[in-house]
Amino acid sequence: MKRKKKLNSRPLSSYFFEIFMLCVCVLFMIPFYYLVVNTFKTAQEATKAPMALPRTLFLENYQRAFEGMNFLNSLTNTVIITVCSVTLIIIFGSMAAYAIERRQNRVTKACFYYFLIGFMIPVQSIIIPLFLVLQTLHLQNSIWGLIVLYTSWSNFAMFMYRGFLSGVPVDLEDAARIDGGSVWKTFWLIVFPLLKPITVTIMIFDVMWIWNDFLYPFLFLSSSKKGTLVMEVYKGVGEFTNDWARMMATMVIVLIPIVIFYIAMQKHIIAGITSGAVKG
Amino acid sequence: MGKFPLKSKPPMCGRMVVIMKIKKELPYLLLILPAFITYTILTFIPLAMTFGLSLSNWNGSVIKDLKFAGLTNYMSAFSDVRMTTALKNTLFYAVMNPVCVTILAIPLALALNSRMPTRNFQRAAFFFPSVPSILILGYLWSYIMSPMEFGILNKFFGLFGLDAIPWLSSPKMAIWSVLIVSVWSMVGWHACIYIAQMQGISSDFYEAASIDGASKAQQFFRITLPLLRPAVASSTLLLLTSALKVYELPYALTKGGPGSATTMLTQIVIQTGFINKKYGAATAMSIIFCAIVAAIGFIQYKVTHKKEV
């Protein structure tokens, strides 16, 4: 009863609390304000008053940033790498999860524990042999090599799919099997559509992970023609450290696509975590 | 498998059973195959190779005259000052990062779970720093923490009459600066994990407690906190493993410096392997690193499992 009363008429303190939280929010977001606002200033103006709003809309930083990077090329590379890797991760991960969850015998159980070991292996501890493996496969310094590398981490998707599948009733599949459908058909036509909520969650987190990854492109994609967006920032820092307004413009350009993705997917992202799907 | 209904003639039966079994199991095994192959070739075999190479004397760009070198690489890794410093830094960071994030994320989750008209906006804003690449955030903060005039952090403290703090140039301060940026970027994400758990707590508990006259603080410490334990376990596991593997952030913020104050294990492994080309030494360090991550991850997993039952 008490709670209901509170709902209808908010006490004054709750307004103060909300205002306080909004202030914290603003403080929290200041680094991004600082980043964006200084890209529209001349170097002098930015140094003198880094927090002030720009007096005029100065766009030369962006012009120079675009000149210093190969934006379209990097964007295309990043999109190809991300889309291909995430698609393959979802296909491989969901298929393996289905077999492991629905067909429990010694072989699939062994596979499950075998995939489990992957959680304990940090990427950085296998990079030296990975270099040799990629060389043997003639995939070094190629975006296809990178895609194959990301796809090899489909065991994480497998675990999430497996958890979700254990809550999906088998009746539908059994009916399809009795009607003479093969395992392959049953999986793709009946089961996979049912997995949509977890597929969306996995897709979002893998897109954010692969799009933002620095280590793999840094180590395995050294050619400047094949760089990704994050690599553009890294290269920019090496080339024009002192021209910091231009550096910040480069960062903003690189951040725009993923921020658009976040805004478009924001509901799913926060719903995905708060529903408890991503528990690690 | 004796329960299998046998309809075929006795001499053929053993073979038929096997064939039928394979026919039944094969489609499932084929579904596992793609993940199995990529994982084996690009994760498991490299791990085995790392282990093999760590016992060899391979220190050139081409593999030739490989000899068994025993544990020499391991001995030299442990006597390498850079390695032991990096180990200390990594362990310090791996302990402090989960602790700081958790201490801030739980109150934040509590606030973001209360009834406010702007609640969804606030959640989205606090989550936002997890969206950009951490490398870019590192570079951004290297400007914010800069001692130059555009370093707004010192300017901000200057407003309160505080002296300029050498965020990135003092060896003592630098690792705390890395921690500050990392906590800032992760706290919203982990607050969301706690919100998930809080939404599962029945409001009956709080109603009963307030009827019994429990204060808000008592309700938090006696009801909310104990019931958040599963979320604490999974959130800290995520934080711990990602903190042990941290590479981009110190690399962008401080380049591991000043000196070796923020050099982490991953940086040492990559430097030794890819820049100094001492593969034998680097692979030994990799195995030590991997063993530490596995051991800590295993302990955490065991603790988590106990709590969640």
Side-chain angles (χ1 to χ4, degrees):
Chain A
M1 285 314 258
K2 236 181 166 181
R3 285 173 61 88
K4 276 197 179 144
K5 235 184 187 173
K6 261 187 196 166
L7 240 174
N8 296 334
S9 61
R10 294 177 70 200
L12 200 64
S13 65
S14 96
Y15 285 100
F16 282 121
F17 182 68
E18 183 156 14
I19 291 165
F20 167 75
M21 280 309 289
L22 285 172
C23 292
V24 177
C25 235
V26 168
L27 266 180
F28 208 73
M29 295 296 277
I30 276 183
F32 296 107
Y33 166 79
Y34 170 79
L35 172 66
V36 174
V37 88
N38 280 313
T39 56
F40 295 110
K41 296 177 191 170
T42 61
Q44 255 182 327
E45 194 189 345
T47 315
K48 242 186 225 162
M51 290 305 284
L53 283 168
R55 264 175 287 157
T56 52
L57 205 59
F58 181 73
L59 291 173
E60 210 180 285
N61 291 323
Y62 283 96
Q63 200 188 331
R64 280 184 300 148
F66 269 115
E67 276 164 17
M69 68 197 282
N70 203 338
F71 178 71
L72 267 185
N73 191 22
S74 305
L75 180 69
T76 321
N77 285 336
T78 316
V79 169
I80 293 174
I81 291 169
T82 309
V83 170
C84 294
S85 313
V86 173
T87 311
L88 288 173
I89 285 174
I90 283 174
I91 294 173
F92 290 3
S94 61
M95 289 193 322
Y98 178 67
I100 285 172
E101 176 61 28
R102 287 292 193 254
R103 197 80 209 152
Q104 295 192 7
N105 55 34
R106 252 179 294 163
V107 181
T108 56
K109 271 198 183 130
C111 279
F112 175 72
Y113 287 111
Y114 179 60
F115 285 131
L116 194 72
I117 301 172
F119 279 97
M120 304 289 189
I121 306 173
V123 187
Q124 291 93 343
S125 68
I126 55 170
I127 44 174
I128 292 156
L130 266 186
F131 205 74
L132 295 175
V133 173
L134 284 185
Q135 235 167 14
T136 322
L137 299 171
H138 295 287
L139 284 172
Q140 86 271 38
N141 212 353
S142 125
I143 59 172
W144 307 110
L146 226 57
I147 292 168
V148 174
L149 277 182
Y150 288 126
T151 308
S152 70
W153 294 100
S154 50
N155 54 338
F156 288 90
M158 191 276 286
F159 277 92
M160 286 173 75
Y161 272 121
R162 185 176 162 269
F164 190 85
L165 257 172
S166 62
V168 175
V170 274
D171 312 359
L172 263 174
E173 297 159 42
D174 286 346
R177 295 301 307 282
I178 288 162
D179 287 349
S182 66
V183 174
W184 178 259
K185 267 193 179 162
T186 311
F187 175 68
W188 287 114
L189 297 178
I190 312 284
V191 182
F192 190 74
L194 293 174
L195 301 178
K196 200 182 152 198
I198 194 75
T199 303
V200 171
T201 308
I202 292 172
M203 187 204 84
I204 288 169
F205 287 101
D206 280 346
V207 164
M208 285 178 29
W209 163 51
I210 293 169
W211 188 281
N212 285 332
D213 188 42
F214 169 67
L215 196 63
Y216 277 173
F218 172 59
L219 295 175
F220 301 117
L221 211 61
S222 44
S223 145
S224 63
K225 269 190 187 166
K226 291 167 189 159
T228 61
L229 282 174
V230 174
M231 285 295 287
E232 291 284 357
V233 176
Y234 169 73
K235 276 182 222 150
V237 167
E239 275 168 38
F240 28 86
T241 335
N242 297 323
D243 195 351
W244 67 289
R246 176 186 184 171
M247 235 3 271
M248 287 188 164
T250 312
M251 291 184 199
V252 171
I253 295 167
V254 167
L255 286 181
I256 285 171
I258 192 76
V259 170
I260 293 175
F261 177 80
Y262 173 61
I263 292 168
M265 291 289 168
Q266 185 239 319
K267 269 198 182 135
H268 293 285
I269 294 176
I270 293 180
I273 304 178
T274 49
S275 71
V278 192
K279 281 182 69 183
Chain B
M1 299 302 119
K3 287 173 271 167
F4 208 85
L6 305 175
K7 282 184 195 159
S8 45
K9 291 169 203 163
M12 288 289 287
C13 116
R15 237 188 177 172
M16 284 292 279
V17 169
V18 172
I19 290 169
M20 277 185 72
K21 226 189 132 195
I22 288 177
K23 249 192 166 172
K24 206 177 167 201
E25 300 296 341
L26 194 64
Y28 291 100
L29 294 181
L30 284 177
L31 287 178
I32 303 181
L33 201 63
F36 186 86
I37 290 173
T38 47
Y39 171 75
T40 302
I41 295 177
L42 293 156
T43 305
F44 203 76
I45 290 177
L47 182 71
M49 282 171 77
T50 305
F51 185 65
L53 291 169
S54 73
L55 300 172
S56 78
N57 62 346
W58 181 40
N59 277 319
S61 49
V62 264
I63 300 190
K64 57 175 183 183
D65 305 328
L66 267 195
K67 271 185 205 132
F68 181 72
L71 294 174
T72 34
N73 285 324
Y74 288 89
M75 308 282 264
S76 60
F78 276 118
S79 58
D80 189 340
V81 186
R82 290 180 318 147
M83 174 77 182
T84 45
T85 318
L87 188 63
K88 258 186 256 163
N89 290 340
T90 308
L91 290 179
F92 176 79
Y93 183 80
V95 171
M96 289 311 288
N97 194 45
V99 169
C100 296
V101 172
T102 308
I103 287 175
L104 291 172
I106 293 176
L108 182 64
L110 216 55
L112 293 180
N113 205 30
S114 62
R115 289 168 199 282
M116 291 186 284
T118 56
R119 187 172 77 175
N120 285 340
F121 165 78
Q122 288 187 27
R123 282 185 189 175
F126 280 106
F127 187 87
F128 188 76
S130 336
V131 177
S133 153
I134 190 75
L135 185 88
I136 297 178
L137 295 181
Y139 287 131
L140 171 61
W141 276 86
S142 72
Y143 292 124
I144 294 174
M145 290 174 160
S146 157
M148 309 282 278
E149 233 182 307
F150 50 74
I152 51 166
L153 199 57
N154 275 336
K155 268 198 171 168
F156 178 74
F157 284 112
L159 291 178
F160 302 102
L162 291 168
D163 288 334
I165 298 167
W167 297 104
L168 303 173
S169 51
S170 136
K172 260 192 192 154
M173 200 59 218
I175 198 155
W176 289 99
S177 303
V178 177
L179 269 170
I180 290 170
V181 179
S182 140
V183 168
W184 169 77
S185 74
M186 280 191 227
V187 70
W189 213 106
H190 287 269
C192 285
I193 297 180
Y194 289 112
I195 291 172
Q197 193 78 29
M198 283 175 189
Q199 283 169 343
I201 301 175
S202 161
S203 58
D204 295 354
F205 289 127
Y206 298 104
E207 262 165 55
S210 58
I211 288 168
D212 287 348
S215 70
K216 282 272 177 216
Q218 276 174 321
Q219 288 181 24
F220 173 74
F221 285 107
R222 295 289 167 82
I223 301 172
T224 314
L225 211 53
L227 288 172
L228 280 182
R229 274 174 75 167
V232 173
S234 44
S235 158
T236 48
L237 180 65
L238 280 178
L239 287 165
L240 191 69
T241 46
S242 69
L244 284 167
K245 298 180 208 169
V246 68
Y247 177 76
E248 281 101 327
L249 184 60
Y251 185 80
L253 205 56
T254 59
K255 288 241 172 219
S260 56
T262 55
T263 307
M264 302 291 172
L265 274 180
T266 49
Q267 201 184 331
I268 289 289
V269 169
I270 290 169
Q271 207 176 20
T272 315
F274 276 79
I275 296 159
N276 304 349
K277 309 247 179 232
K278 285 186 179 169
Y279 297 107
T283 45
M285 289 170 176
S286 300
I287 290 296
I288 295 169
F289 174 51
C290 196
I292 291 170
V293 174
I296 294 178
F298 184 74
I299 293 167
Q300 245 282 5
Y301 182 81
K302 280 280 167 197
V303 173
T304 315
H305 249 62
K306 239 185 226 162
K307 277 181 187 166
E308 271 184 326
V309 163

